[in-house]
Amino acid sequence: MQNSPLILDGKVVAADVKNRLKDDIATLLSKNIVPGLTAILVGEDPASQVYVRSKERQAKKLGLHSDVIRLDAHSTQAELLAIIHQLNNDAKVHGILVQLPLPSHFDEDAVIEAINPEKDVDGFHPISVGRMQIGLDSFISCTPAGVLEILDYYKIVTSGKHVVVIGRSNIVGKPMANLLTRKGKRGDATVTVCHSRTPNMALFTRQADIIIAAVGVPELITADMIKDDVVIVDVGINRVGDAKLEKGYKLVGDVDYQSVLPKVKAITPVPGGVGVMTIAMLLSNTVKAAKKLSL
Ligand code: GUN
């Protein structure tokens, strides 16, 4: 008989991360420096709207300055670049975040590159990515950073473990794999990266001590694809239609939670797992930026 699985509660870890920021924020405020985060939201994507509102609310709750610049979906690349340029030169703004995805007529790579790397609190700029890759201090993409915080908080050791990362996005999969293979605490893992072109993914997932699913396919990982006592971190947040619910949809992860639950050692729920960590890490990066730019 298996022990009941440990539920890795992102809300608890996010609260801990935010608590740990309070001393730094107090020090900054005592010098009349208010850490400032500006988000740019282009268009009306409902999920992005919810996300940006939540960022703003949580930043303000911690005593940070937060605002959102909203642009029409038909705005031009030149307009967006001009705003980024202005924010790059605004000393009150320590962190700049352009909410992705942008409408398809934008060149997303050029937009990210236009952000001053010292204000790149998303960790998406090539300078941030390159610095992370070779182990230098850098801003780290918030979702993979949040996954590491969860594992660390619950004392889940990665050293010597086989971690299977599912997904190869620039935002999650690639930085996740890089961070886990780094030397030292929270790293030292042997990492396999699977993605949409991996045939027979179960061949790999069944060998995993830890699975990190970040592929955006609802309930892809099922009980038959895992070994007993695996740790699962589910990064997916997928809306699937559910006529029984008033809003018409429910949120599910990339993992079939109910089917895997009896077999796992530990698992993050969706919602309430990794999703809540992303904003906590963004606030942490904003405080880090304010410290580096001001002190
Ligand atoms: N879209 C989905 N997640 C993110 C994120 O972490 N940062 C930005 N800028 N856009 C996103």
Side-chain angles (χ1 to χ4, degrees), residues 51 97-100 122 124 278:
Y51 196 58
L97 176 148
V98 179
Q99 185 66 27
L100 303 180
D122 255 331
F124 295 168
T278 304

Side-chain angles (χ1 to χ4, degrees), residues 89-140:
N89 293 312
D90 184 341
K92 293 191 296 302
V93 176
H94 304 103
I96 302 169
L97 176 148
V98 179
Q99 185 66 27
L100 303 180
L102 289 167
S104 58
H105 63 280
F106 283 93
D107 177 349
E108 228 165 67
D109 292 337
V111 168
I112 291 168
E113 274 200 79
I115 297 171
N116 175 355
E118 293 181 315
K119 301 188 177 188
D120 174 37
V121 286
D122 255 331
F124 295 168
H125 193 287
I127 288 185
S128 303
V129 176
R131 290 182 64 90
M132 176 199 67
Q133 184 80 21
I134 57 174
L136 295 175
D137 180 54
S138 69
F139 293 111
I140 291 174

Side-chain angles (χ1 to χ4, degrees), residues 267-288:
I267 186 165
T268 58
V270 176
V274 177
V276 284
M277 289 305 298
T278 304
I279 294 178
M281 301 319 293
L282 176 72
L283 302 179
S284 173
N285 278 347
T286 303
V287 172
K288 176 178 171 140

